[in-house]
Amino acid sequence: MSFEKFAKQHGQPLSVARHDCVFRQGDQDGMLYFVISGLLKAYYVSFEGKESIKSFIQAGSTIGSLSATYKGLPCTFSLMALEDTQLIRLPFKELVDATHNSHAIAEEVIQILLTLSMRKEQREYEFLSLPAEERYLNLCKRDPELVTRLTQNDIARYLGITPVALSRIKKRLL
């Protein structure tokens, strides 16, 4: 059985309206979320109220706060729908149990975790080593359709710059 089929059989459907949160930073949430359709953003809010976007999550992806699901700690980030979104909500513990009983599910979970780790590694490299203009160009090259679905403010927060700085970058690239 595949991970997606397992999630659909054992999870609960969840509809999230645009701008609604699935969970907030500081919440207790032991769930994983498989995205059927829509678009989400995972973001942090600093003590000063500044938002920084960690990632965008599209259909076919899985997300959850590993601190919350695995360790029982509060979520370290918030998850908000940028579009009306259809999810499957799956208790993390059920997935862990399934990996003990199904080699196929265990292999797929390993692939999901490896993919997540490689994305995080690439994100860290770009954020720590590349100028904002290159980060913007990489985002546009990697997922041009996603860029059309995002606001300038969200792109700027993802890149770690102001919307004004993003406007200047776009103007230079024209």
Side-chain angles (χ1 to χ4, degrees):
M1 175 184 300
S2 73
F3 168 75
E4 183 175 351
K5 187 174 182 182
F6 177 82
K8 287 179 178 175
Q9 284 183 357
H10 296 274
Q12 303 167 326
L14 177 65
S15 295
V16 184
R18 182 175 186 236
H19 298 301
D20 283 353
C21 280
V22 177
F23 58 79
R24 294 186 190 281
Q25 192 171 318
D27 287 354
Q28 296 287 332
D29 190 298
M31 300 292 170
L32 288 180
Y33 298 90
F34 181 75
V35 184
I36 301 297
S37 65
L39 178 64
L40 302 143
K41 70 176 175 181
Y43 64 97
Y44 304 103
V45 178
S46 71
F47 289 113
E48 297 82 29
K50 181 183 176 214
E51 180 183 303
S52 300
I53 296 179
K54 162 184 163 50
S55 59
F56 299 104
I57 304 90
Q58 300 182 70
S61 298
T62 303
I63 188 159
S65 171
L66 290 178
S67 297
T69 58
Y70 185 68
K71 290 288 191 178
L73 299 171
C75 296
T76 57
F77 62 92
S78 297
L79 185 63
M80 175 190 283
L82 295 176
E83 301 171 352
D84 291 343
T85 300
Q86 299 299 312
L87 303 169
I88 295 175
R89 184 175 189 251
L90 179 68
F92 180 73
K93 182 166 179 6
E94 282 191 40
L95 179 60
V96 170
D97 291 346
T99 63
H100 295 295
N101 300 320
S102 169
H103 184 71
I105 291 175
E107 283 185 355
E108 202 165 341
V109 167
I110 289 170
Q111 287 305 310
I112 289 168
L113 292 171
L114 286 171
T115 299
L116 173 66
S117 294
M118 288 184 293
R119 275 196 215 129
K120 287 183 68 65
E121 182 178 334
Q122 183 66 31
R123 172 93 166 117
E124 289 170 1
Y125 163 72
E126 288 181 2
F127 209 73
L128 297 173
S129 302
L130 301 179
E133 186 170 312
E134 267 190 77
R135 293 196 306 269
Y136 176 67
L137 288 170
N138 286 347
L139 176 63
C140 291
K141 182 180 176 185
R142 186 172 44 249
D143 202 341
E145 191 267 334
L146 172 64
V147 173
T148 66
R149 296 166 68 189
L150 298 173
T151 65
Q152 181 153 314
N153 283 343
D154 279 342
I155 293 170
R157 286 184 188 115
Y158 178 75
L159 297 174
I161 60 176
T162 66
V164 171
L166 179 57
S167 289
R168 290 181 183 136
I169 288 170
K170 286 177 158 183
K171 192 177 279 189
R172 271 196 310 271
L173 295 173
L174 290 177

